[in-house]
Amino acid sequence: MYLETLDLTDFRNYAAVHLALGEGRFIAAGDNAQGKSNLCEAIRMLATMRSFRAGTDRELVRWGSAGHFARILADVTRVDGPLRLEVIVSAPPTPDDPLANAAGLWSADPADPGQPQGIAPTDRSLPSPSSDGEGPGVGPFPRLPTGKRIKVNGAPRRAIDCVGLVTVVLFEPADLDLVSGPPSGRRHFMDVTLCQISRSYCRTLSQYQRVLTQRSALLRRIRENQDDPRALEYWDVQLAQLAVPLITERAGLITRCLPTADQVALRLGGRGLRLVYQPSFAVDVELPTATAIAAFNEKLKSLRKREIMQGVNLLGPHRDDLAFLEGPINLATYGSRGQQRGAALALKLAELEAIELETGDQPILVLDDVLSELDPTRRAALLDSIGPISQVILTTAEPDAIPAAFAATAHWLPVRAGMIA
Ligand SMILES: Nc1ncnc2c1ncn2[C@@H]1O[C@H](COP(=O)(O)OP(=O)(O)OP(=O)(O)O)[C@@H](O)[C@H]1O
Ligand SMILES: [Mg+2]
């Protein structure tokens, strides 16, 4: 699939930008702080409906914009036809809006609730269950709607129903730490990939996160003798019913990623790569789901005392991890920095293939400033894999570092101070 056109209005530092894209390779080149990552962020939002780096959606609205909204509009060509996708984030200005501050517009104490946050930090770039509401209407500003509105071919839709209409694989500098970083990053990888593939995964995940919040609050109340431990039984059933399908889907994803990840790792000169999904509760896929749910419930019972003592949910997909093995070596512990980066790259390319296999359409590949972070072998492996991908958008602050063969076949998009020539 590919973006035919992309329009940004008051999105981050873009006041108004229209891009005619189409199939092929695009290199967005510009100095630091010109808008390259902002462009990647907008494209990725078309897939996940949430920013991969903003804490709240209001950060996306251009400082001092008159309309207090940001808009991303894209015409997309997919295997099954064209699609027009529009995402509007509206937010009244806040005290941290630099331009509102400069103009002395913000005076009152806002007590601003902001956007509802994802429940787990790993949830950042996935839609929150409800994201509509009213702004606080503080100070000189009228009461403005805060939230996100999405239209597909002109018809309003819920965010959660639009995840994965466009699929995007993003590779950005933070991903280079996927192997050595905290497990939340690896869980996030699995969630973002699966949400783009399966709407039911996305819904289940969103419900699961709500149950986690409710259940941990209950555990803490029980610890303080403010609630009855028997109340846990209801939440245990909910947790088990939502956890098992998530674990099953994650296990399936990692199995599908194995061959590509291994091949890429071999191409990078390593001894191959084995991805090992490490769920906090292993589901035997040979057994009926009901059996797994019952076993999950049993395990919860055995953990009950500890859970109450600690006031946290100790079992479930939010405690999963993913290990990267080269032969017998765990790369997170013993891998060199280069080996870890190679494994992260292999995983991303495997993600691309997994999404294509499942959806029958090739995702858009967005590479934000990663080429200069990779050594020549890994750079070549990445560029080799790019050959057959229908749309690749790559950003760089060092155009000279792009291999000549790739640069010659790409369209250049010079990015400068929120404008793209
Ligand atoms: N809501 C906003 N309104 C206006 N400008 C913003 C907003 N959010 C971020 N910016 C600014 O946008 C500019 C470009 O940010 P971006 O992350 O896209 O830079 P970049 O080109 O990727 O730079 P680098 O090469 O350093 O990664 C930054 O100066 C940032 O402060
Ligand atoms: Mg950047």
Side-chain angles (χ1 to χ4, degrees):
M1 81 172 55
Y2 53 92
L3 302 181
E4 199 74 71
T5 62
L6 179 70
D7 287 89
L8 303 179
T9 311
D10 288 334
F11 182 89
R12 294 280 194 188
N13 68 335
Y14 292 104
V17 152
H18 170 80
L19 293 179
L21 298 168
E23 265 183 297
R25 303 161 169 191
F26 297 85
I27 301 175
D31 290 341
N32 295 136
Q34 302 303 308
K36 302 181 300 295
S37 298
N38 293 345
L39 175 67
C40 298
E41 185 179 26
I43 296 171
R44 165 65 170 259
M45 261 192 89
L46 291 168
T48 57
M49 300 294 138
R50 283 195 81 173
S51 161
F52 69 87
R53 56 188 194 152
T56 64
D57 280 345
R58 68 173 63 249
E59 288 172 33
L60 306 174
V61 180
R62 192 172 63 87
W63 302 325
S65 71
H68 311 304
F69 69 85
R71 185 172 83 138
I72 311 167
L73 175 68
D75 281 310
V76 190
T77 299
R78 306 194 312 164
V79 161
D80 50 8
L83 179 93
R84 169 166 276 214
L85 188 57
E86 184 177 6
V87 181
I88 297 178
V89 171
S90 40
T94 65
D96 57 13
D97 180 328
L99 291 189
N101 269 339
L105 289 176
W106 195 270
S107 47
D109 173 14
D112 173 20
Q115 278 285 99
Q117 287 286 289
I119 291 154
T122 53
D123 179 41
R124 266 205 172 167
S125 63
L126 297 168
S128 55
S130 77
S131 54
D132 286 333
E134 286 289 309
V138 178
F141 300 108
R143 229 178 128 75
L144 290 165
T146 303
K148 199 170 333 187
R149 266 155 298 161
I150 292 136
K151 284 186 184 167
V152 177
N153 295 329
R157 296 271 293 272
R158 290 192 317 160
I160 201 152
D161 296 329
C162 300
V163 174
L165 287 177
V166 172
T167 54
V168 171
V169 169
L170 168 74
F171 195 29
E172 52 131 2
D175 291 322
L176 294 163
D177 298 323
L178 207 64
V179 176
S180 56
S184 58
R186 296 182 282 276
R187 290 192 291 268
H188 185 59
F189 161 81
M190 295 190 272
D191 288 342
V192 168
T193 307
L194 283 164
C195 279
Q196 293 190 65
I197 291 174
S198 154
R199 200 144 306 153
S200 95
Y201 184 91
C202 198
R203 285 210 193 93
T204 308
L205 179 67
S206 155
Q207 289 166 357
Y208 178 75
Q209 282 162 340
R210 262 178 295 177
V211 168
L212 278 184
T213 315
Q214 307 264 17
R215 194 171 176 276
S216 63
L218 177 62
L219 286 167
R220 285 193 299 272
R221 285 201 306 277
I222 295 170
R223 185 181 58 191
E224 313 301 329
N225 292 320
Q226 291 167 356
D227 219 318
D228 186 342
R230 280 173 300 180
L232 271 173
E233 260 148 47
Y234 170 80
W235 292 107
D236 287 2
V237 173
Q238 300 286 316
L239 198 71
Q241 281 174 347
L242 295 164
V244 167
L246 294 178
I247 297 167
T248 312
E249 291 280 333
R250 283 181 179 182
L253 171 73
I254 299 309
T255 306
R256 289 195 297 276
C257 284
L258 278 174
T260 313
D262 190 41
Q263 280 160 23
V264 175
L266 284 170
R267 278 215 306 273
L268 290 175
R271 283 181 291 153
L273 176 65
R274 202 151 53 85
L275 301 169
V276 183
Y277 175 44
Q278 300 177 316
S280 78
F281 176 84
V283 171
D284 184 347
V285 287
E286 302 294 319
L287 297 176
T289 310
T291 312
I293 293 175
F296 189 98
N297 240 319
E298 279 310 305
K299 184 86 200 264
L300 273 181
K301 287 206 174 74
S302 71
L303 288 169
R304 183 164 285 189
K305 264 200 192 123
R306 263 180 61 203
E307 284 196 306
I308 294 174
M309 212 164 62
Q310 298 181 23
V312 286
N313 298 294
L314 291 176
L315 190 68
H318 65 291
R319 314 268 297 194
D320 288 357
D321 203 352
L322 178 63
F324 297 75
L325 305 183
E326 188 180 295
I329 295 168
N330 187 329
L331 291 178
T333 321
Y334 296 109
S336 72
R337 187 103 186 96
Q339 282 174 309
Q340 292 172 346
R341 288 180 166 207
L345 175 60
L347 185 67
K348 281 284 153 179
L349 295 176
E351 175 189 9
L352 199 102
E353 192 143 311
I355 295 181
E356 185 181 358
L357 264 174
E358 285 299 306
T359 62
D361 207 346
Q362 226 168 28
I364 298 163
L365 179 61
V366 178
L367 303 168
D368 187 15
D369 211 15
V370 282
L371 277 193
S372 55
E373 303 269 345
L374 297 170
D375 62 34
T377 321
R378 294 185 170 83
R379 204 180 295 171
L382 178 56
L383 295 181
D384 281 352
S385 319
I386 281 175
I389 297 167
S390 45
Q391 191 173 54
V392 180
I393 295 157
L394 179 154
T395 80
T396 183
E398 294 172 80
D400 296 340
I402 307 270
F406 185 86
T409 58
H411 307 277
W412 288 81
L413 305 170
V415 183
R416 200 156 170 234
M419 312 236 256
I420 301 180

